[in-house]
Amino acid sequence: MSNTSGTADDRSEERRGGAGSVQSVDRAVSVLEILAKLGEAGVTEISEELGVHKSTAFRILGVLEHRGLVEQEKERGKYYLGAGVLRLAGAAAIRLDISQEGQPVCRALADDTGETANIAVLDGDAAVNIMQARGAAAVTAYNWLGRRTPLHATASGKVLLAHLPHERRESLVTRKLPRFTENTLTTASGVRAQLTAALEDGFACTSEELEIGLNAVAAPVRAHDGAVIGAIGVSGPAYRMARQRLPELAERAAQAAVELSRRMGYGG
């Protein structure tokens, strides 16, 4: 296929919308894999590896460079993987580490409280549960593992939200917040007050804010540098995890958070 026809095909794919977008993503990932394999490469090499016109390769590299995923050695024009890849790899490593180190801590918390223990991490504008263990008293077979839950209506979410940088936190708090039950806080002022309390107390609670009959507590998990990278907590039925019992369970969650933070290298 000639370079000219390759350009026409590329543009035709782009005009087709969804299919072209998927192909563009696939090619961008391929570029990263090529640079990981070769160490560095020029536009010509990359276009030949991809089987596309140089202009197409150049556009893909431009997007990746803008995102910090590739960088260019200006004198020779060669491209290589950028610091953005290390950032993404570091985030993935943290998630893997907290899953591995959190398993015995999560299990111990579930055994200690008799309820369902979870570990959650931030996933964009939600919390995602990456670890779960059920205690002896847990009556539900509901699986929270892998579920994305709203930040403003869950204990783990409030912990993660409270420790975000101010601008990011405000952007999430001031948008329209969905209501799940009559107890869900949907005003920025109301959520801010709970986030302040979470920072002062060292834990967060929810009382039937996501689902009627479900209460929860959670505390922050820190990395070696003190940054909050997750939350560990306990959830259970409101009739057993009554409001007056939440501070006691929150203290147990906080102790588990200290242990998991220690395992993650935090010495504070």
Side-chain angles (χ1 to χ4, degrees), residues 43-63:
V43 176
T44 300
E45 294 172 89
I46 291 171
S47 65
E48 290 175 353
E49 287 276 345
L50 290 178
V52 300
H53 193 270
K54 285 174 63 175
S55 63
T56 299
F58 187 76
R59 286 198 303 272
I60 295 171
L61 286 163
V63 172

Side-chain angles (χ1 to χ4, degrees), residues 31-32 35-36 39-43 46 58 60-87:
V31 169
L32 296 177
L35 293 178
E40 62 177 19
V43 176
I46 291 171
F58 187 76
I60 295 171
L61 286 163
V63 172
L64 293 174
E65 186 175 18
H66 177 70
R67 293 287 186 170
L69 297 176
V70 304
E71 295 178 17
Q72 185 182 29
E73 206 283 312
K74 300 301 180 183
E75 290 186 5
R76 296 183 301 131
K78 297 282 188 177
Y79 289 87
Y80 54 92
L81 293 178
V85 173
L86 295 177
R87 183 183 69 250

Side-chain angles (χ1 to χ4, degrees), residues 5-262:
S5 63
T7 302
D9 288 345
D10 294 339
R11 289 173 181 167
S12 175
E13 284 289 350
E14 290 170 2
R15 283 195 295 268
R16 270 184 257 172
S21 297
V22 171
Q23 186 180 56
S24 295
V25 172
D26 182 70
R27 286 172 173 172
V29 172
S30 296
V31 169
L32 296 177
E33 291 176 339
I34 290 167
L35 293 178
K37 178 180 69 174
L38 300 179
E40 62 177 19
V43 176
T44 300
E45 294 172 89
I46 291 171
S47 65
E48 290 175 353
E49 287 276 345
L50 290 178
V52 300
H53 193 270
K54 285 174 63 175
S55 63
T56 299
F58 187 76
R59 286 198 303 272
I60 295 171
L61 286 163
V63 172
L64 293 174
E65 186 175 18
H66 177 70
R67 293 287 186 170
L69 297 176
V70 304
E71 295 178 17
Q72 185 182 29
E73 206 283 312
K74 300 301 180 183
E75 290 186 5
R76 296 183 301 131
K78 297 282 188 177
Y79 289 87
Y80 54 92
L81 293 178
V85 173
L86 295 177
R87 183 183 69 250
L88 295 177
I94 286 175
R95 185 170 293 197
L96 291 172
D97 286 345
I98 197 172
S99 295
Q100 182 177 14
E101 297 296 338
Q103 188 170 8
V105 180
C106 191
R107 177 73 265 167
L109 181 59
D111 290 342
D112 179 40
T113 61
E115 305 295 349
T116 300
N118 286 285
I119 297 175
V121 296
L122 189 67
D123 184 24
D125 61 352
V128 63
N129 293 284
I130 62 171
M131 181 69 57
Q132 176 176 287
R134 294 192 183 93
V139 295
T140 179
Y142 192 88
N143 186 11
W144 293 92
L145 197 61
R147 180 178 173 183
R148 297 177 83 250
T149 56
L151 298 176
H152 69 291
T154 59
S156 294
K158 288 178 185 178
V159 167
L160 297 170
L161 187 54
H163 289 87
L164 285 176
H166 177 75
E167 287 190 9
R168 174 63 173 154
R169 184 173 65 244
E170 279 297 297
S171 71
L172 294 171
V173 166
T174 55
R175 65 180 183 171
K176 185 176 181 180
L177 300 174
R179 182 181 296 279
F180 300 97
T181 75
E182 62 182 13
N183 296 322
T184 307
L185 288 172
T186 58
T187 65
S189 59
V191 174
R192 283 195 198 100
Q194 289 219 341
L195 299 183
T196 298
L199 292 172
E200 292 175 351
D201 298 337
F203 60 83
C205 303
T206 53
S207 182
E208 301 185 270
E209 296 172 40
L210 180 64
E211 296 179 9
I212 293 296
L214 179 69
N215 288 354
V217 297
V221 177
R222 299 180 183 275
H224 64 92
D225 59 357
V228 171
I229 56 173
I232 184 167
V234 180
S235 61
Y239 70 83
R240 194 164 54 236
M241 284 183 58
R243 288 194 181 194
Q244 59 267 29
R245 194 185 172 213
L246 294 185
E248 169 211 335
L249 292 170
E251 178 58 32
R252 297 188 190 186
Q255 292 171 359
V258 169
E259 170 60 19
L260 182 49
S261 298
R262 184 192 65 77

